[in-house]
Amino acid sequence: MTTTLTGSHPGTAAVRRRMRELLSAPGCVVAPGCHDALAARIAQDEGFDAVYLSGNAASAGLLGRPDVGLAGLSEMTQRARWVASSLRIPVVADADAGYGDAHAVARTVTEFEHTGVAAIHIEDQDLPKRCGAMGGVRIVPFDDAVARLRAALAARTDPGMLIIARTDALALGDLDEAVRRAEAFAELGADLVMVEDVASAEQVEALPRLLPGVPLLFDAFEVWPWTVRSTRELGELGYKMVIMCLSTTLAYAQAARAVLRSIKTRGSAREVGELLMPLGEYERVLGADEFDVEGRQ
């Protein structure tokens, strides 16, 4: 059988069912961040049930540039397609702010449906969007945010794919507005709600209490100490999904710097050999044994 990297994954329906089964079970689903298919396959190999394709990480991996809206719909859906087609586990993908007005949001949903991902999240940032951690975030008015989510839900043709609604109201320090939007998104029918830019340990613990009955996704952002909690604790607090958007990307960047610095200063990577995955392990993760010498699967 010849490998294909275009179109929906042949197991898309099963993968999307699996995502919903995971969310209906006790505890929370843990989806570590990845910026490419290799990181995603390593996560799968380590036994994770799902992975998260971060817009920040994808922008870094694709363009080598910050997450300020430079990666568009075509780039993000192509990356999502490559990641989803390489895995047996569900992928949650960042769809930014939907890449435009309500018509653009509808197209965004359609295009992501075809990639084989199990879920996407769409935020209420104004355009051009920015990574919440960078500051300078602007959000659209409440009615526009609601209209954006309505357009996304109406455009979905596969009810198996999850639509996650994200609010960045906390980036403006407005907890009341974040709660208001999260409640509205859940009432409209969002499968999960993501309240981004949590600013304190108190907010981490308060959000599930302030939003009873709202299925919450939590971004355990690795560089903010107040968001670094064990996934078990986050599940006990009431979160249904936890993502770590930049863990593997920051690890890759740090390891790559160490290896390149060693080559530059010492002439080889011998001093940092522990950072290099053994070749046999690397090939096993990639599934090299699934291909014969003629390149067929």
Side-chain angles (χ1 to χ4, degrees):
M1 181 178 71
T2 303
T3 302
T4 179
L5 294 178
T6 60
S8 294
H9 189 285
T12 294
V15 168
R16 289 175 178 166
R17 282 197 302 272
R18 178 58 179 158
M19 182 83 268
R20 291 188 176 275
E21 290 169 359
L22 290 167
L23 286 170
S24 66
C28 65
V29 180
V30 180
C34 61
H35 63 276
D36 62 12
L38 174 58
R41 284 184 67 91
I42 293 171
Q44 176 178 263
D45 194 59
E46 287 296 318
F48 284 94
D49 291 318
V51 297
Y52 172 60
L53 179 58
S54 155
N56 186 314
S59 183
L62 281 165
L63 306 176
R65 304 298 287 170
D67 184 19
V68 291
L70 299 177
L73 176 61
S74 296
E75 290 94 343
M76 289 300 296
T77 51
Q78 182 62 76
R79 178 60 62 105
R81 183 175 294 110
W82 287 338
V83 172
S85 68
S86 75
L87 301 176
R88 301 182 304 276
I89 60 176
V91 177
V92 180
D94 184 349
D96 287 337
Y99 306 101
D101 62 10
H103 296 294
V105 169
R107 178 175 178 241
T108 293
V109 172
T110 299
E111 294 298 322
F112 270 103
E113 276 192 334
H114 294 161
T115 68
V117 301
I120 60 171
H121 69 71
I122 296 178
E123 64 208 35
D124 59 0
Q125 280 198 37
D126 202 356
L127 300 175
K129 61 93 58 185
R130 296 173 64 85
C131 173
M134 296 176 64
V137 168
R138 297 174 298 119
I139 61 175
V140 297
F142 176 85
D143 288 345
D144 291 348
V146 166
R148 187 178 287 177
L149 178 57
R150 286 188 193 278
L153 293 169
R156 178 173 55 181
T157 60
D158 181 359
M161 189 177 79
L162 276 69
I163 302 291
I164 303 167
R166 164 177 153 173
T167 178
D168 281 69
L170 280 182
L172 308 180
D174 195 337
L175 178 60
D176 290 340
E177 182 63 11
V179 169
R180 177 192 181 207
R181 292 184 180 218
E183 289 176 335
F185 295 161
E187 185 174 342
L188 281 171
D191 295 292
L192 287 167
V193 175
M194 178 181 181
V195 180
E196 184 64 318
D197 308 300
V198 176
S200 68
E202 291 74 21
Q203 285 185 356
V204 174
E205 296 167 7
L207 282 169
R209 295 197 305 270
L210 293 170
L211 293 163
V214 175
L216 292 173
L217 181 154
F218 183 73
D219 183 2
F221 194 48
E222 301 84 346
V223 300
W224 290 343
W226 57 88
T227 65
V228 179
R229 303 287 189 97
S230 76
T231 55
R232 179 176 179 178
E233 180 184 1
L234 290 166
E236 290 172 348
L237 285 171
Y239 292 98
K240 288 304 299 178
M241 180 180 288
V242 177
I243 60 173
M244 290 87 165
C245 59
L246 286 177
S247 292
T248 61
T249 304
L250 294 175
Y252 159 80
Q254 189 78 334
R257 181 179 291 283
V259 169
L260 293 169
R261 184 169 289 168
S262 180
I263 294 171
K264 179 68 174 178
T265 60
R266 297 185 176 92
S268 80
R270 185 178 303 141
E271 298 295 323
V272 290
E274 74 280 359
L275 296 178
L276 306 181
M277 179 178 282
L279 182 60
E281 178 72 358
Y282 171 75
E283 291 179 342
R284 185 190 66 77
V285 168
L286 294 177
D289 61 349
E290 299 169 17
F291 297 81
D292 63 25
V293 293
E294 296 178 355
R296 294 175 300 198
Q297 191 177 35

